[in-house]
Amino acid sequence: MATFRLAAFNKLLERKPIEVKREADLTSDYYGSKVFDRAKMKKYLSKDSYKAVIDAIDNGTTIDRKIADGVATGMKAWALENGATHYTHWFQPLTDGTAEKHDAFIEHSDMGGVVEAFSGKLLAQQEPDASSFPNGGLRQTFEARGYTAWDVSSPAFLMGSTLCIPTIFISYTGEALDYKAPLLKALNAVDKAAVDVCQYFDKNVTKVWANLGWEQEYFLIDEALYQARPDLSLTGRTLMGHSSSKDQQLDDHYFGSIPTRVHNFMIDLENEAYKLGIPVKTRHNEVAPNQFELAPIFEECNLANDHNQMIMDLLNRVARKHAFRCLLHEKPFAGINGSGKHNNWSLSTNTGVVLYAPGKNPKGNMQFLTFVVNALMALYKHQDLLRASILNASNAHRLGANEAPPAIMSAFLGTEVNKMLALIEQNVSDKKMSPEEKTSLKLNIGRIPEILLDNTDRNRTSPFAFTGNRFEFRAVGSSANCASAMISLNTAVAAQLIEFKQDVDALIEKGIKKDEAILQVLKKYIGICKTIRFDGNGYSQEWVVEAAKRGLTNITSVPDALKGYLTPSSKDLFSKLGVFDKNELEGRVEVEYEKFTKKIQIEARVLGDLAINHIVPTAVKYQTLLIENVKGLKDVFGDEYVNLAGNRLEIIREISDHITAIKNMVKEMIEARKVANALSDQIEMAYAYDKDVRPYLTDIRYHIDKLELIVDDELWPLPKYRELLFTR
Ligand code: ADP
Ligand code: MG
């Protein structure tokens, strides 16, 4: 076996499971031990500081400098007691990860030494400069710095010996440069809009939270094999590799018993997660070999998203400890399932009601149906925006590829909810309803089974599926920051709820009773957004045809899809709700195009290198062996050699053909890159990379994968799919 690959295997054979110890027997005994949560605030803060912080968390009030100083002092005391030496403003720039710049808790002391210090000023705001983060032209480096500002609603936590303070990241001129700042704005918008609508049903509702329960899929690969695959380590996915004879055909991995090394990894991961107050609950093997999933109990959206960011970080760190590498890429291996991150989303109130769960009485159900119909309207109107919010270079491999929701946005509702919408559609009229009609309708609306959760039919092919007490936005990619999808969804729903209230109020003003006005507006909406509802098989060709007839958009090209951010309707939506102004939105979208270009660029470079430096020489070596063999036959047998060498002559030719094809295409690909790189407009460049560079990734790979089947296994330099996927 080629030395590189062999060395990887030898390491693999030496692996021993790493024993892991949970922090304590009971999870509840150590859950949140590394979080500066309410209990710790109560202990470490003065009464006034505690009250002010809780008020800021619950009601969004601001904290003054004096209080901030008090909080900083308490936080520092807790952090130092727990071994912290540094603090950092932890933020989420527009990259694929989080950012942190550590500062030690030290200041000069009067005595010439140092003291541990931390002030309210340092807690509240920092200027990390951080000029290298993507900003889409929002921030010229000669301009002032980027700022991070404390997000009081997400608790500080300890990662190793560093106190991490969740923050937003904005430019000097106030434009958001991260995911958190606009997410908080979107959540605020949906809170206000939903409270206003809830007021029709219950005057006690004063606060509405958006909830998020993410389901994170990932792959684990042995570290030695990973290191022997430069494509995996540089791009997160395999750019070549013939499929394994056996992969997921038998469904024997899905929900199977968890391999010991992986099980130990999971216990370790959960241990770390619990200390950080991340309520991870579910773990299982996924469909593809070496693919797994974990999911927490859902939480308030901003916190849930922070927790997902932390989990992705933990997945990477803990995997290394166990000599694995965690792959968060949406499509690490061609031909088998990729990874997604379903975003389970709902709204709930301060009165303890989940607005996407059917109520206990007709009124509760009216409220439930109101929120369902408005979510459908939001999806209908902003289908292009929602697609844009989940599509990027890596998720593009998955969408529309018969394993994840199609690139057509639609909603699945299930029998019961469909029945209710039909009921409203058929029974409500614009004319005044008789008391009998009203009573009968109310009775019927009251008939939704209170618990739909267990008896909803499931549809795994819908991008936006109702699952009993929530919608599951299933199109989100495994490596994504959920905020991207959550910003668009919550903003779209907020705008829709505002419009709903205006429509209902307009009817009330005309003298129509509230209940009837609500029903009339719902009826109108149900008619308008009908085309977005689809309960059938979203993977089928019939749906593609049907969706086109319905006028739904179907876009799989990333550059095309990203335009969904820049339509008048999206621009209007974001600016009206104060989530992004035109500049911010355009800057952000430019970053998306740039990221797309760069990812394809890196893949093209890596593939070019591997093809020329690894694959072609290997193929030549094997071809030479064959030629030597044929020459020998000729020496021994004379002209008869042709019969004896038979198919070897063909193989020699075949290898030559593949080598020539690879070499030519790599050259052409480089030329295509040069042309694309000369373009000055980011959007044009992304299009050029998509149309002129990206296809080479598939075409070159085709020849490499053919060679993999021909060339002597002893010579093949890279671990093969069967090795990457079946050894651990
Ligand atoms: P499944 O794979 O069957 O869809 P999982 O248990 O893997 O379900 O994940 C479901 C996720 O949805 C969990 O994070 C769960 O906490 C979350 N969830 C449950 N109810 C709600 C809700 N009302 N709003 C948001 N998320 C929810
Ligand atoms: Mg699910």
Side-chain angles (χ1 to χ4, degrees):
M1 214 187 259
T3 38
F4 213 31
R5 189 161 145 235
L6 186 63
F9 264 93
N10 286 336
K11 270 199 196 147
L12 192 67
L13 293 174
E14 288 163 16
R15 298 261 186 257
K16 303 233 163 18
I18 294 174
E19 282 306 314
V20 282
K21 274 235 285 303
R22 272 160 52 90
E23 200 77 356
D25 289 339
L26 286 181
T27 302
S28 52
D29 282 345
Y30 68 99
Y31 185 81
S33 63
K34 295 199 162 183
V35 184
F36 196 59
D37 54 17
R38 288 181 189 224
K40 274 161 219 126
M41 285 184 201
K42 190 145 200 187
K43 186 170 161 205
Y44 285 86
L45 302 186
S46 70
K47 250 198 186 130
D48 285 350
S49 301
Y50 177 75
K51 244 185 77 197
V53 172
I54 297 299
D55 199 33
I57 296 172
D58 290 344
N59 307 313
T61 52
T62 47
I63 286 177
D64 66 28
R65 183 49 57 80
K66 216 180 102 225
I67 294 289
D69 278 333
V71 177
T73 307
M75 214 185 253
K76 183 190 77 179
W78 168 75
L80 294 182
E81 272 173 38
N82 284 279
T85 56
H86 288 66
Y87 62 91
T88 183
H89 275 198
W90 179 82
F91 59 102
Q92 301 172 24
L94 300 174
T95 58
D96 286 347
T98 54
E100 48 198 81
K101 168 181 161 239
H102 300 183
D103 282 308
F105 281 114
I106 55 165
E107 295 291 343
H108 284 300
S109 76
D110 300 340
M111 319 288 284
V114 294
V115 286
E116 274 73 18
F118 188 50
S119 66
K121 187 165 167 267
L122 295 173
L123 166 65
Q125 193 176 310
Q126 259 188 352
E127 300 176 27
D129 187 8
S131 51
S132 291
F133 286 115
N135 61 72
L138 277 179
R139 210 180 133 214
Q140 308 294 339
T141 25
F142 59 80
E143 236 177 53
R145 336 180 102 202
Y147 284 86
T148 49
W150 181 26
D151 166 20
V152 188
S153 62
S154 185
F157 57 91
L158 281 171
M159 211 39 127
S161 57
T162 305
L163 171 69
C164 299
I165 298 147
T167 53
I168 58 169
F169 180 41
I170 49 176
S171 75
Y172 179 67
T173 39
E175 281 112 350
L177 299 170
D178 71 346
Y179 286 108
K180 190 190 260 284
L183 177 63
L184 290 173
K185 287 180 183 167
L187 294 174
N188 199 24
V190 85
D191 169 14
K192 284 214 178 77
V195 165
D196 284 349
V197 169
C198 284
Q199 288 285 313
Y200 287 137
F201 305 96
D202 181 358
K203 294 280 178 217
N204 295 316
V205 174
T206 52
K207 172 93 190 164
V208 169
W209 290 276
N211 302 309
L212 167 63
W214 41 262
E215 301 166 50
Q216 178 75 54
E217 294 179 339
Y218 60 94
F219 280 83
L220 287 176
I221 302 297
D222 186 86
E223 185 171 58
L225 295 171
Y226 173 91
Q227 296 287 19
R229 290 285 310 220
D231 49 352
L232 262 188
S233 51
L234 295 179
T235 73
R237 74 175 181 109
T238 52
L239 298 174
M240 56 186 70
H242 197 278
S243 58
S244 167
S245 307
K246 172 187 185 285
D247 45 49
Q248 64 187 40
Q249 304 95 320
L250 301 175
D251 285 327
D252 47 355
H253 185 66
Y254 189 52
F255 282 13
S257 84
I258 300 172
T260 311
R261 245 182 98 193
V262 175
H263 191 230
N264 287 352
F265 155 82
M266 287 177 171
I267 295 171
D268 212 352
L269 177 79
E270 288 160 359
N271 199 31
E272 293 305 316
Y274 291 143
K275 286 192 261 177
L276 288 165
I278 307 172
V280 290
K281 188 169 171 77
T282 306
R283 62 182 186 211
H284 60 80
N285 289 2
E286 255 304 327
V287 172
N290 273 3
Q291 191 188 26
F292 308 92
E293 176 182 311
L294 95 159
I297 304 173
F298 71 91
E299 300 175 282
E300 182 279 318
C301 188
N302 174 45
L303 183 62
N305 190 48
D306 282 357
H307 283 166
N308 182 244
Q309 290 295 306
M310 287 153 74
I311 271 289
M312 291 201 283
D313 189 33
L314 283 181
L315 278 164
N316 287 327
R317 287 172 199 250
V318 179
R320 282 170 183 237
K321 192 170 141 196
H322 290 258
F324 283 126
R325 285 305 164 96
C326 176
L327 310 180
L328 292 170
H329 193 286
E330 281 78 358
K331 194 75 180 174
F333 303 97
I336 56 172
N337 272 30
S339 302
K341 178 151 58 196
H342 301 171
N343 277 202
N344 292 271
W345 169 88
S346 69
L347 298 171
S348 58
T349 67
N350 61 306
T351 54
V353 172
V354 176
L355 294 166
Y356 284 97
K360 293 186 168 47
N361 48 42
K363 198 160 104 185
N365 280 340
M366 273 282 284
Q367 178 172 272
F368 161 69
L369 292 171
T370 295
F371 278 90
V372 168
V373 171
N374 278 294
L376 294 177
M377 277 293 273
L379 181 68
Y380 168 73
K381 285 188 194 160
H382 299 288
Q383 48 184 296
D384 289 339
L385 172 63
L386 286 161
R387 184 191 303 102
S389 75
I390 52 93
L391 208 51
N392 54 30
S394 49
N395 205 19
H397 291 284
R398 195 176 144 258
L399 278 197
N402 268 20
E403 60 167 272
I408 306 160
M409 289 293 139
S410 66
F412 164 89
L413 289 181
T415 332
E416 289 294 335
V417 180
N418 275 321
K419 251 198 294 193
M420 287 299 140
L421 299 197
L423 191 76
I424 294 176
E425 219 183 352
Q426 285 152 19
N427 292 284
V428 177
S429 75
D430 294 345
K431 284 179 273 130
K432 217 168 156 30
M433 290 165 85
S434 71
E436 294 78 42
E437 280 174 325
K438 265 198 239 171
T439 315
S440 132
L441 185 63
K442 269 197 184 160
L443 264 177
N444 278 315
I445 287 178
R447 281 203 190 111
I448 311 178
E450 199 185 303
I451 310 258
L452 279 183
L453 209 50
D454 298 323
N455 53 14
T456 34
D457 11 0
R458 287 295 189 106
N459 183 322
R460 304 249 167 227
T461 65
S462 174
F464 198 69
F466 178 71
T467 45
N469 63 351
R470 61 191 187 268
F471 276 99
E472 197 170 328
F473 193 12
R474 303 179 68 255
V476 182
S478 52
S479 71
N481 186 315
C482 304
S484 182
M486 288 296 110
I487 291 165
S488 290
L489 178 61
N490 286 298
T491 308
V493 169
Q496 180 53 43
L497 290 170
I498 291 170
E499 190 174 318
F500 173 77
K501 175 140 170 47
Q502 284 164 352
D503 288 349
V504 172
D505 285 352
L507 291 182
I508 292 175
E509 238 162 69
K510 279 192 204 152
I512 297 171
K513 282 246 174 64
K514 184 181 78 184
D515 281 2
E516 221 168 318
I518 291 172
L519 284 166
Q520 282 183 16
V521 175
L522 288 183
K523 176 189 166 151
K524 186 177 92 183
Y525 287 0
I526 292 168
I528 295 174
C529 68
K530 209 169 220 162
T531 52
I532 206 75
R533 283 160 58 191
F534 179 65
D535 277 17
N537 179 4
Y539 295 169
S540 67
Q541 192 49 38
E542 293 87 77
W543 172 227
V544 174
V545 176
E546 163 72 15
K549 258 193 235 153
R550 292 188 188 187
L552 299 177
T553 50
N554 179 6
I555 303 170
T556 47
S557 138
V558 177
D560 282 343
L562 289 176
K563 290 212 162 139
Y565 271 121
L566 299 173
T567 59
S569 120
S570 299
K571 282 186 177 166
D572 190 49
L573 169 76
F574 282 129
S575 68
K576 231 173 35 201
L577 281 123
V579 174
F580 295 123
D581 64 23
K582 190 174 152 285
N583 258 351
E584 275 177 300
L585 188 62
E586 284 173 358
R588 182 162 298 249
V589 174
E590 195 173 318
V591 170
E592 287 302 324
Y593 277 103
E594 202 180 322
K595 278 201 278 194
F596 174 80
T597 298
K598 285 187 176 157
K599 287 201 172 161
I600 305 286
Q601 186 179 56
I602 292 169
E603 290 190 349
R605 284 179 174 170
V606 173
L607 183 65
D609 285 357
L610 285 178
I612 301 301
N613 298 327
H614 286 59
I615 306 303
V616 168
T618 305
V620 169
K621 223 183 267 171
Y622 182 57
Q623 193 187 38
T624 310
L625 279 179
L626 293 180
I627 291 171
E628 289 299 319
N629 173 268
V630 172
K631 271 193 197 156
L633 288 174
K634 198 175 174 187
D635 283 351
V636 178
F637 295 100
D639 283 350
E640 211 195 320
Y641 89 97
V642 179
N643 297 329
L644 295 168
N647 123 314
R648 249 151 300 167
L649 291 171
E650 245 168 67
I651 295 176
I652 291 169
R653 262 199 206 102
E654 235 179 275
I655 294 177
S656 278
D657 292 346
H658 289 307
I659 291 176
T660 310
I662 291 172
K663 283 190 154 177
N664 287 342
M665 284 196 277
V666 169
K667 237 189 240 157
E668 288 164 23
M669 179 169 72
I670 293 170
E671 287 312 310
R673 286 212 310 270
K674 279 189 193 154
V675 175
N677 292 346
L679 297 167
S680 56
D681 181 81
Q682 279 297 342
I683 297 184
E684 274 178 37
M685 202 191 291
Y687 269 102
Y689 265 88
D690 189 44
K691 292 210 166 74
D692 305 331
V693 179
R694 202 172 54 85
Y696 284 111
L697 295 173
T698 320
D699 296 347
I700 295 171
R701 176 187 186 138
Y702 170 83
H703 292 280
I704 295 177
D705 291 355
K706 287 282 176 212
L707 282 173
E708 186 187 315
L709 288 185
I710 297 173
V711 171
D712 183 2
D713 183 66
E714 287 278 320
L715 296 176
W716 198 254
L718 305 174
K720 297 182 171 179
Y721 266 29
R722 62 165 189 262
E723 295 158 357
L724 293 169
L725 291 169
F726 287 96
T727 41
R728 51 179 97 83

